[in-house]
Amino acid sequence: MPIRLLDPDVSSIIAAGEVIDRPASVVKELIENALDAGSTEISVEVQGDGTQSIRVVDNGHGIGSNEVALAFERYATSKLSVARDLDSIRTLGFRGEALPSIAAVSRLSMVTKAGDAPMGVRIELLDGKVTSVNPAGAKTGTVVLVRQLFRNFPARRRFMRTRATEISRIHTIVSRYALAYSTTRFRLVVDEKEALASTGSGNLREAASNVYGRKTSSQMLDLIADDSPTNESVTVDGLIGLPQISKSNRSNISFFTNGRWIQSRMLSYALEQAYQGFMKERRYPTAVINITVPSEEVDVNIHPTKAEVKFRHESSIFSAVQRVVRYTLTSHLPVPEASVPNETQNRNTAFPTSRPFWPVNFKGDELTTLGVGNTVTSHDSNTDLHTPNPNAAIESIPSTPANVLNNLRVLGQIHTTYIVAEGPTGMYLVDQHAAHERVLFEMVCAHAETHSGIVQSLLEPVMVELDSYQHELMSAQSGLIEHIGFRVEPFGDKSYLVRGVPQSLSESDPTLSLTEVLDRMAEGGGFETWQMRAAYSIACHGAIRAGKKLTHQEMSELVNLLEECQQPHTCPHGRPTMIFMGLGHLEREFGRR
Ligand code: ADP
Ligand code: MG
């Protein structure tokens, strides 16, 4: 076939196919138009699988009769005018594609009346062409009736699923908007039967009750922000389900950004990670999460149906979501309300007299080598870990942490993975790897902050060749890398001499330590600041593994250090460091009460 321009009839169907791929996308676009028009009541009525008819009625500001035909022209929109407007979109629509696309593949009629107009107007279209425009009596607002969807598009009709699937997708769309716009009343009627109705009271829990039922909504927690410093322009709020209302798929997870429902693997991952330890694998929570960011921080123009967005600061959104969810969950964990540790108690006695297994000195002091081997620590009395300043740890972490543990007494280790400990109100199982990760993470954060990483000098420097990515990061973050305890000198091109490594990495190969830490930092692990990325990298690399046998003393030291952490209950990624079994629980289990 020769190359030629497509007939407009064909090209408009192709274009329409991008936006309108199934009945649910008609519902989505019409609801979005109704919301953009400021409606407080939106009703959706569907017949059959949606191809017979979809009717959406709103009480928004309507369209003036002189503009109504224009609204069906491709790229006609009232929502933006210059390219710059794309940088900060506040409306759900902006491309001017929905009405012409729907009209191109259906028989469509619209009755609309603008607020200040005496009379409304009715416009009818068939396969995208206007067949009539007439005055019509109407209330302020808009009624769109779409019949015979895909009448001229048999390929699309063939790809539709069963009626039940199409209706369930429509149900999902209406549900999501009912959750995102809790001040708007939504109603979905399928074949004359009401399938969903929201009250529009503005109360999110009530909207969740309308959508998921009262029982589910009563088992949802309001998201509460922890008080760690965050990017203030981002707020995350909403409701998340208790772990017991888990589902086998992600259908009950909804994310909204500035009122737009979005799909995001990144955000789902953040959410699922935050639930780790609370929920069995391959189970998914119920969650309604609103992320509010300045409109210029998010690009909504990257996906044909606008279902995916791009955040300018993706990792800060990731960590904000994860932190808030995790904090909300851990605030409901059965870990007892704890008291502040007794600061006058001399923790010194808990420290060993030989080289400590755990790096304990939060105030960084450089250690120099004395003995043989690559990794021997010094005996300099001022900097020696053998006589740590008992207040050092307490000083360098802000005092009076919110939820410190009571002093735990270590009983033993099981499966060379978990430490069993006794507390005043029950038994704790501590995951040694997760606990050590938390300890190292907070320690390195403190080091990065105060430029005080403890250095383990190497007897002989080691030459490392970095790849270009590592090299770039090394140059860009050389200060930070030094602050956390590396001593590295450029040695021509991409080679470096490593003269010292952070003490917590002294057990592993220096080359590997540096390259792995750089790689992990680049990856970021969902952390926003470079300091946190560095801390996370060292914690990942340096934390003892499950399967390592620990002495009683090593376990006690680890638990002591964990107790001093600001957030002892979770590893940096939010997995639990410990599980608690209360005395009451034990008594019940043993039938003592
Ligand atoms: P977009 O929403 O991207 O602007 P549409 O094709 O969906 O494009 O709609 C075109 C225009 O028609 C909108 O910009 C708006 O001005 C008007 N419009 C569409 N639906 C409604 C409605 N329900 N109420 C008021 N105005 C509407
Ligand atoms: Mg639109």
Side-chain angles (χ1 to χ4, degrees), residues 410-421 427-433 545-550 555 579 581:
V410 169
L411 304 175
Q413 187 186 28
I414 45 178
H415 208 65
T416 55
T417 303
Y418 308 105
I419 300 168
V420 190
M427 184 189 85
Y428 291 77
L429 284 178
V430 178
D431 179 316
Q432 64 194 41
H433 175 70
R545 308 278 143 196
K548 174 150 176 106
K549 194 164 168 29
L550 302 177
M555 291 188 275
I579 294 173
M581 201 176 279

Side-chain angles (χ1 to χ4, degrees), residues 12-173:
S12 69
I13 291 183
I14 293 175
E18 290 217 343
V19 186
I20 304 300
D21 60 349
R22 54 183 359 125
S25 24
V26 172
V27 172
K28 172 177 182 285
E29 293 296 336
L30 296 180
I31 289 181
E32 290 191 352
N33 281 350
L35 287 166
D36 282 344
S39 307
T40 55
E41 282 182 31
I42 299 172
S43 148
V44 179
E45 293 152 37
V46 180
Q47 300 280 347
D49 61 7
T51 54
Q52 279 91 318
S53 95
I54 295 173
R55 184 165 176 265
V56 176
V57 183
D58 73 47
N59 65 351
H61 58 53
I63 306 175
S65 48
N66 56 336
E67 287 193 322
V68 72
L70 185 60
F72 286 89
E73 297 275 336
R74 190 161 298 278
Y75 311 126
T77 179
S78 57
K79 299 170 192 173
L80 58 87
S81 56
V82 291
R84 202 178 50 238
D85 295 346
L86 277 171
D87 294 342
S88 58
I89 287 168
R90 286 166 221 276
T91 49
L92 295 168
F94 53 87
R95 293 194 188 126
E97 282 185 319
L99 290 182
S101 297
I102 300 168
V105 291
S106 71
R107 175 187 290 277
L108 188 149
S109 79
M110 175 193 271
V111 178
T112 183
K113 185 181 103 62
D116 49 3
M119 233 356 224
V121 56
R122 170 191 295 274
I123 182 169
E124 311 224 328
L125 299 97
L126 184 64
D127 301 340
K129 296 196 184 66
V130 179
T131 54
S132 70
V133 185
N134 289 305
K139 288 197 290 190
T140 298
T142 303
V143 180
V144 181
L145 174 63
V146 178
R147 283 175 298 163
Q148 302 171 12
L149 184 66
F150 304 136
R151 61 194 299 280
N152 51 354
F153 202 167
R156 188 46 53 86
R157 264 205 318 272
R158 270 200 302 279
F159 280 100
M160 278 186 42
R161 302 287 183 81
T162 61
R163 175 182 176 276
T165 310
E166 298 303 331
I167 293 297
S168 109
R169 287 182 190 253
I170 291 174
H171 197 279
T172 303
I173 295 282

Side-chain angles (χ1 to χ4, degrees), residues 441-459:
F441 181 76
E442 291 197 7
M443 185 184 79
V444 181
C445 277
H447 286 161
E449 189 71 32
T450 54
H451 306 181
S452 57
I454 312 170
V455 183
Q456 176 66 62
S457 300
L458 305 180
L459 266 189

